Amino acid sequence: MDVNNEKKAIIELQGICKSFSVGKRTAKVLKGIDLSINNGEMTAIMGASGCGKSTLLNIIGCLDVAESGEYWLKGKKVTGKSQKEMARIRNEIFGYVIQDFALIRDDTVLENIRIPLDYSKKKIDKLRIDQLLKSLGLKKLQKMRVSLLSGGEQQRTAIARALVNDPEILLADEPTGALDSKTGQEVMNILREICNKGKTIVIVTHDEKIARQCDRILCMKDGNI
Ligand SMILES: Nc1ncnc2c1ncn2[C@@H]1O[C@H](COP(=O)(O)OP(=O)(O)OP(=O)(O)O)[C@@H](O)[C@H]1O
Ligand SMILES: [Mg+2]
């Protein structure tokens, strides 16, 4: 085993470009992004609204593909992979905390957390889910319907769902955006603990206070970093 494994780049982007066309107009959102993120690192991505942060996160998370440039994940080329392989990467490597939670409101906390397991081959036992509920302070809330939870509780549920598959990389788009500063800080403390356990985390945020708690801040402007 490589002793330097911890410091290795897990995500490497080179010259990543992405445009969106609406009608006849084409807007170039990413204009040749070069980026390297190390294993176990917590990285913040900042930048003005509309500068392409979510677009970049979606490409990193294999939810979208770049139109040019190259992407290596854990040293393997992602660029050019089939839909099926991309789906496998999404299920096995990534956990996603999406802007605005995207929880199923009529389902309970536990039902929401279990959703990714329907798409995964990984064997996750009840004990692990129980530990996850405990570590996020959701044990007592597990049978509650999501629509009855506070914003912070919903965000913790969304984080638990992102972690249930034990992903190597956690991608979080504005994980504190909808929360007051105290609840936002609690969520950050949880993310830091998760990072300390060896996960790689990429957070998109508008909040400098949040970004400063990361190991590294990347600022996006004019389609570049
Ligand atoms: N599917 C799409 N079709 C057309 N345009 C898109 C699409 N997705 C994003 N865009 C455009 O690309 C630009 C970047 O969008 P993106 O969502 O990445 O910004 P952002 O930095 O995440 O913004 P915010 O901070 O407001 O979430 C925006 O101008 C947006 O309108
Ligand atoms: Mg966004």
Side-chain angles (χ1 to χ4, degrees):
M1 206 178 117
D2 187 344
V3 279
N4 289 320
N5 204 28
E6 271 176 33
K7 283 270 164 62
K8 263 194 184 159
I10 188 164
I11 292 165
E12 284 179 286
L13 304 180
Q14 239 173 53
I16 292 292
C17 294
K18 181 79 182 173
S19 309
F20 289 111
S21 300
V22 179
K24 282 184 186 161
R25 291 187 52 189
T26 299
K28 202 150 192 196
V29 179
L30 305 179
K31 301 177 186 168
I33 301 268
D34 297 326
L35 170 63
S36 170
I37 291 176
N38 285 336
N39 200 4
E41 203 171 46
M42 181 142 130
T43 302
I45 299 177
M46 295 194 79
S49 182
C51 74
K53 304 181 295 297
S54 297
T55 303
L56 178 61
L57 207 65
N58 287 344
I59 289 171
I60 291 175
C62 297
L63 295 163
D64 199 357
V65 286
E67 62 198 45
S68 61
E70 289 194 335
Y71 178 11
W72 286 270
L73 184 64
K74 297 172 72 182
K76 288 191 188 133
K77 209 165 169 177
V78 172
T79 319
K81 284 218 188 286
S82 69
Q83 293 274 355
K84 203 175 157 192
E85 284 170 305
M86 294 283 271
R88 189 188 55 77
I89 292 171
R90 285 196 292 272
N91 293 333
E92 284 184 8
I93 298 181
F94 291 103
Y96 307 91
V97 181
I98 305 161
Q99 229 166 346
D100 305 323
F101 316 140
L103 297 169
I104 299 173
R105 295 180 60 77
D106 287 338
D107 282 0
T108 67
V109 168
L110 189 60
E111 284 163 345
N112 268 278
I113 290 172
R114 294 187 57 90
I115 291 171
L117 299 179
D118 296 339
Y119 302 91
S120 171
K121 286 196 189 110
K122 284 186 194 170
K123 285 261 174 292
I124 308 290
D125 58 19
K126 261 186 99 180
L127 194 71
R128 216 193 95 71
I129 296 177
D130 226 49
Q131 279 169 347
L132 188 63
L133 284 165
K134 259 188 219 147
S135 70
L136 288 164
L138 293 167
K139 184 96 178 72
K140 282 189 186 140
L141 299 174
Q142 62 174 309
K143 297 210 169 109
M144 281 262 274
R145 222 186 291 167
V146 161
S147 57
L148 303 174
L149 302 180
S150 73
E153 290 163 351
Q154 289 185 40
Q155 190 57 290
R156 281 186 274 134
T157 304
I159 293 171
R161 183 182 55 186
L163 290 173
V164 74
N165 260 343
D166 198 22
E168 290 169 63
I169 306 171
L170 184 69
L171 303 177
D173 202 343
E174 294 280 1
T176 64
L179 308 175
D180 63 68
S181 60
K182 182 169 167 278
T183 316
Q185 187 54 50
E186 283 166 15
V187 166
M188 268 316 273
N189 296 345
I190 289 167
L191 293 177
R192 175 47 79 184
E193 261 174 52
I194 292 163
C195 183
N196 289 345
K197 285 181 191 150
K199 308 249 185 247
T200 305
I201 304 185
V202 184
I203 301 175
V204 167
T205 183
H206 279 110
D207 188 339
E208 245 183 77
K209 247 171 120 182
I210 295 293
R212 268 191 258 118
Q213 299 176 46
C214 295
D215 302 319
R216 201 168 151 213
I217 304 177
L218 302 170
C219 290
M220 288 184 70
K221 208 184 164 193
D222 301 326
N224 278 301
I225 286 183

